[in-house]
């Protein structure tokens, strides 16, 4: 556009924004969701009163939260971007776990060696295998099951639920109906002691992986054009298309990435529980839905914060009053929805 | 006329069970501002949305730059060089002004000369470049919406009621920017309820009623004939 000539132009009235004094309350309001995480940690500290137990529980809660986040992040984007409710998301968690654990079992020489590098290498290979498989499966799932029911929530719920059942049964056909018990790789067994608290090594790995996934997603969403398209598409897909972007392709990409992440979450979750079953994904879906809802549908940040809150609260309550642990997450969801009915960080406007 | 950038031939569009467009014929000449006028609810917005492909014509033909786009997907139509400013502005509120503009420049980085021009036309966009678009005022959002269309040179600009609900001072800013676009030789199809703006900008005019085109001619002719306006749109200059 070299021949572009800047025309003469009269300016609109100049706008000089004036800064007003903002009260403390108003200033922290936008940051309230993220502040809830340390607030819950502090509340836990006060309630538990034993620093070493608290530290153990906090790390364990963060690890659990990170894994839920990895499993849930794809679901929140799929809903936000295309208004698709995917009850079959748990299928990718199960399949990811079974593929990943199968790969780990094949790599026995790497997992049984007492070398951290070899162990992590084996997990990495297992994760790659699981993500490739669930990514491919996500692509097929989107084409066969989701595409025909765009725009029909009830049909989506029914048909994706059906897809989940089919996949669960396929897992039973391929791997048998028994649950599979697994041992973590040698160097990740046991715990390290830090400030008098026993911290399971594997949980530290889970926290690390979760942080990396979160930061990578954030970077993609904030710093790349694809990320811009996804964020804009969550808000107004029609306009994104009118700007010339093929949202459908972007959505398929997000669905595949979300499925692959669920597969990664499945491997991590399986190693955390040390047992895998065909129904593990379906069971995880309860936590995943809670996290996606309290985070605000379509928001990756909200999903991350929600997952950490759920993880921490569940661990603290299980220690303080085990019987209350089951209802703690539901109570958290109810409380947050009373405070912010669209979730902590609402992205998708009410339709 | 062979030199039409956009041509609609007998276009019918239904929304649910309603027949909104009932055989619209329209020719938008290249390098001029074509007004689309008419009372509320006669199908002006639907005409624009049918061109960009948000609604589908179930009968008739739409030619853009000589190509049949009637069944083309929206992104492909947009990529052919169509800038669209929807009635609701279509701002991405959670993105910054900058991110909105980067997205609008679909074919590559923003041309800096063009950006300077946009900043000169709409200074608030420069002031709030890094702010979330959702925090802008109504007028500023409208500026952003038009700026997004202007950020790249398009073959045709579809602009739906750019002065809707704006204060007079902002309306003149809009009008000046659109005049600028016109002076560059851009082709524009403009829906506008503000008759003064329409009169100042339009080369030719098309008036719709009840899903059809009821009058086409020079804007000048319509602007000077109060009786014609009264008959076509139920308004007269005195009423404004």
């Amino acid at each position: 556009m070299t021949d572009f000539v800047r025309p003469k132009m009269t300016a609109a009235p100049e706008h000089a924004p004036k800064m007003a004094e903002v009260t403390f309350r108003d200033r922290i309001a936008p940051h309230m969701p993220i502040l809830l995480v340390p607030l819950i940690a502090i509340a836990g500290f006060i309630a538990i009163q034993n620093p070493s137990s608290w530290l153990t529980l906090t790390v364990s809660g963060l690890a659990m939260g990170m894994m839920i986040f990895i499993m849930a992040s794809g679901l929140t984007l799929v809903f936000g971007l295309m208004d698709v409710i995917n009850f079959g998301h748990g299928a990718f968690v199960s399949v990811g776990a079974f593929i990943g654990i199968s790969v780990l079992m094949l790599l026995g020489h790497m997992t049984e060696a007492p070398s951290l590098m070899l162990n992590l290498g084996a997990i990495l290979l297992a994760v790659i295998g699981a993500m490739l498989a669930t990514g491919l499966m996500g692509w097929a799932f989107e084409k066969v099951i989701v595409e025909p029911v765009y725009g029909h929530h009830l049909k989506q719920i029914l048909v994706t639920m059906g897809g989940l059942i089919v996949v669960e049964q396929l897992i039973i056909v391929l791997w048998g109906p028994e649950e599979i018990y697994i041992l973590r790789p040698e160097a990740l067994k046991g715990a390290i002691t830090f400030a008098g608290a026993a911290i399971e090594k594997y949980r530290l790995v889970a926290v690390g992986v979760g942080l990396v996934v979160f930061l990578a997603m954030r970077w993609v969403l904030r710093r790349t054009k694809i990320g811009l398209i996804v964020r804009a598409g969550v808000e107004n897909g029609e306009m994104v298309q009118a700007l010339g972007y093929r949202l459908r392709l972007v959505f398929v990409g997000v669905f595949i990435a979300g499925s692959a992440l669920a597969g990664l979450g499945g491997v991590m979750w399986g190693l955390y529980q040390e047992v895998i079953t065909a129904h593990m994904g379906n069971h995880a879906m309860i936590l995943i839905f809670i996290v996606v809802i309290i985070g605000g549908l379509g928001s990756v940040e909200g999903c991350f914060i929600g997952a950490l809150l759920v993880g921490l609260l569940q661990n603290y309550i299980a220690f303080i009053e085990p019987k209350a642990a089951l209802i703690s997450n539901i109570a958290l969801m109810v409380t947050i929805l009373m405070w912010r009915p669209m979730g902590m960080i609402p992205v998708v406007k009410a339709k | 006329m062979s030199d039409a950038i956009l041509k609609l031939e007998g276009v019918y569009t239904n929304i649910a069970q309603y027949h909104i467009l009932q055989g619209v014929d329209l020719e938008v000449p290249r390098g001029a501002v074509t007004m689309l006028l008419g009372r509320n609810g006669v199908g002006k917005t639907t005409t624009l949305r049918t061109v960009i492909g948000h609604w589908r014509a179930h009968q008739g033909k739409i030619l853009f730059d000589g190509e049949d786009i009637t069944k083309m997907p929206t992104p492909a139509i947009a990529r052919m060089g169509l800038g669209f400013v929807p009635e609701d502005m279509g701002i991405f509120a959670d993105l910054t002004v900058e991110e909105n503009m980067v997205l609008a420049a679909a074919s590559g980085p923003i041309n800096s000369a063009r950006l300077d021009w946009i900043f000169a036309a709409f200074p608030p966009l420069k002031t709030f470049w890094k702010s979330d678009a959702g925090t802008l005022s109504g007028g500023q959002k409208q500026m952003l919406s038009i700026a997004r269309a202007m950020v790249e040179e398009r073959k045709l600009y579809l602009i739906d009621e750019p002065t809707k609900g704006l204060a007079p001072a902002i309306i003149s800013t809009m009008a000046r920017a659109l005049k600028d676009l016109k002076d560059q030789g851009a082709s524009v199809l403009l829906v506008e309820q503000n008759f003064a703006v329409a009169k100042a900008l339009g080369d030719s005019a098309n008036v719709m009623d009840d899903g059809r085109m009821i009058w086409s001619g020079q804007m000048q002719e319509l602007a000077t004939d109060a009786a014609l306006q009264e008959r076509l749109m139920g308004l007269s200059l005195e009423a404004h």
Side-chain angles (χ1 to χ4, degrees):
Chain A
M1 207 163 331
T2 44
D3 56 341
F4 180 79
V5 196
R6 186 184 148 182
K8 210 167 76 207
M9 173 125 263
T10 27
E14 194 61 59
H15 280 248
K18 293 187 193 67
M19 303 300 173
E21 283 295 320
V22 183
T23 62
F24 178 71
R25 209 190 146 94
D26 285 344
R27 223 176 301 165
I28 62 162
H31 308 292
M32 240 357 247
I34 189 70
L35 289 176
L36 278 181
V37 177
L39 281 180
I40 275 211
I42 292 167
F45 188 78
I46 294 167
I48 290 162
Q49 291 182 337
N50 176 344
S52 61
S53 303
W54 174 80
L55 189 57
T56 305
L57 291 168
T58 302
V59 172
S60 148
L62 289 178
M64 185 179 161
M66 295 287 184
M67 285 183 283
I68 300 171
F69 164 70
I70 294 172
M71 292 187 274
S73 55
L75 189 69
T76 199
L77 277 182
V78 162
F79 182 86
L81 193 58
M82 236 52 178
D83 201 20
V84 167
I85 300 178
N86 181 12
F87 270 71
H89 195 71
F92 304 112
V93 173
S94 299
V95 169
F98 275 84
I99 303 256
I101 299 307
S102 300
V103 172
L104 273 184
M105 284 172 164
L106 289 176
L107 298 172
H109 60 286
M110 282 172 87
T111 55
E112 281 154 26
S115 145
L116 184 62
M117 281 333 268
L118 274 181
N119 291 170
L120 288 180
I123 292 184
L124 185 67
L125 285 175
V127 160
I128 291 173
M131 289 180 79
L132 277 178
T134 49
L136 270 175
M137 195 182 127
W139 179 64
F141 199 88
E142 204 281 336
K143 251 268 80 34
V144 176
I145 294 183
V146 177
E147 200 191 338
V149 291
Y150 270 141
H152 308 277
H153 279 163
L154 184 61
K155 286 184 188 168
Q156 284 164 9
I157 292 172
L158 292 172
V159 83
T160 56
M161 199 75 175
L164 171 72
I165 295 169
V166 170
V167 172
E168 278 183 354
Q169 295 306 312
L170 280 177
I171 290 176
I172 291 173
V173 169
L174 289 172
W175 278 277
E178 308 295 326
E179 43 203 26
I180 299 176
Y181 289 89
I182 40 178
L183 290 174
R184 285 178 201 154
E186 207 54 39
L188 296 177
K189 285 178 185 161
I192 56 165
T193 319
F194 175 78
I199 296 170
E200 274 190 54
K201 292 177 194 167
Y202 180 72
R203 289 179 179 167
L204 291 175
V205 175
V207 171
V209 173
L211 265 182
V212 168
V213 168
F214 174 65
L215 292 176
M217 278 184 90
R218 223 183 118 91
W219 183 82
V220 169
L221 285 173
R222 307 234 154 237
R223 296 273 173 266
T224 68
K225 197 146 185 177
I226 293 279
L228 280 187
I229 297 170
V230 171
R231 283 165 56 213
V234 167
E235 213 181 310
N236 187 344
E238 202 174 60
M239 193 62 216
V240 172
Q241 303 203 49
L243 290 176
Y245 300 102
R246 281 187 287 173
L247 201 57
R248 165 97 195 114
L249 276 186
V250 176
F251 175 63
V252 173
V254 167
F255 201 95
I256 291 173
S259 309
L261 282 171
L264 165 64
V267 182
M268 307 285 302
W269 192 245
L271 280 171
Y272 179 71
Q273 305 254 332
E274 297 183 286
V275 57
I276 55 174
T277 72
H279 307 295
M280 63 183 281
N282 200 5
H283 294 156
M285 278 310 276
I286 298 165
L287 284 179
I288 291 173
F289 268 120
I290 290 179
V291 159
V292 167
I293 290 167
I294 66 179
L297 293 161
S299 163
V300 169
E301 275 96 353
C303 176
F304 182 70
I305 296 168
L308 294 186
L309 292 180
V310 164
L312 286 174
L313 194 68
Q314 174 136 334
N315 276 274
Y316 293 151
I317 301 286
F319 179 81
I320 299 166
E321 182 53 64
K323 281 182 200 149
L326 276 175
I327 60 154
S328 68
N329 292 318
I330 303 289
L332 177 72
M333 181 165 83
V334 170
T335 314
I336 292 208
L337 290 184
M338 282 166 70
W339 169 49
R340 290 193 177 176
M342 299 291 293
M344 287 187 292
I345 305 182
V347 180
V348 180
K349 307 290 172 277
K351 283 176 180 149
Chain B
M1 198 197 306
S2 63
D3 200 31
I5 181 79
L6 180 75
K7 206 168 170 183
L8 277 72
E9 294 170 1
V11 169
Y12 286 76
T13 301
N14 298 343
I15 301 176
Q17 72 270 40
Y18 303 106
H19 301 289
I20 308 295
L21 301 189
Q22 303 177 37
V24 170
D25 295 300
L26 173 65
E27 272 196 28
V28 179
R30 214 180 282 271
V33 176
T34 306
M35 304 304 306
L36 190 54
L37 306 171
R39 295 172 298 118
N40 285 334
V42 297
K44 304 184 297 293
T45 294
T46 304
T47 303
L48 296 199
R49 286 176 60 86
T50 304
V51 172
I52 189 78
H54 285 335
W55 298 121
R56 288 293 160 188
H58 77 274
Q59 206 183 310
K61 211 163 144 189
I62 305 170
L63 296 167
F64 177 44
D65 205 16
E67 240 182 280
D68 187 349
I69 60 165
T70 319
K71 293 196 160 47
M72 226 184 242
T74 299
I77 298 172
R79 290 257 172 189
M80 281 180 70
L82 222 158
F84 181 50
V85 179
E87 193 182 14
D88 66 1
M89 302 183 276
I91 294 299
F92 305 122
D94 288 332
L95 272 58
T96 63
V97 172
E98 179 182 18
E99 288 170 334
N100 268 277
M101 294 291 283
V102 167
L103 261 189
S107 61
I110 299 175
N111 175 296
S112 66
R114 221 164 161 95
L115 190 62
D116 287 344
W117 167 50
I118 288 169
F119 282 162
F122 304 127
L125 296 187
K126 190 171 188 177
T127 313
F128 297 111
W129 189 237
K130 299 278 181 193
S131 311
D132 282 352
T135 62
L136 298 179
S137 74
Q140 291 159 352
K141 280 182 186 151
Q142 187 70 67
M143 291 179 195
L144 176 57
S145 187
I146 295 175
R148 278 196 319 201
M150 301 198 315
V151 72
E152 287 192 336
E153 194 175 355
R154 323 273 186 191
K155 284 184 195 156
L156 174 67
Y157 299 81
L158 297 181
I159 304 177
D160 200 348
E161 291 208 41
T163 64
K164 191 171 131 189
L166 300 183
I170 311 283
I171 291 182
S172 58
T173 301
M174 294 296 164
R176 271 195 294 268
L178 294 173
K179 178 76 170 49
D180 238 40
L181 198 62
K182 173 185 168 146
D183 290 346
Q184 276 179 47
S187 314
V188 181
L189 177 58
L190 182 61
V191 172
E192 182 55 75
Q193 296 281 23
N194 183 318
F195 201 77
V197 173
K199 201 170 66 170
L201 287 171
D203 294 311
S204 60
N206 298 270
V207 183
M208 287 183 81
D209 200 15
D210 212 9
R212 282 187 197 86
M213 218 52 82
I214 53 166
W215 187 86
S216 294
Q218 292 306 304
M219 187 67 216
Q220 190 65 30
E221 194 184 326
L222 182 62
T224 48
D225 189 343
L228 185 64
Q229 292 165 31
E230 176 70 41
R231 184 164 62 78
L232 296 175
M233 296 177 279
L235 59 77
S236 63
L237 268 184
E238 282 74 32
H240 265 256

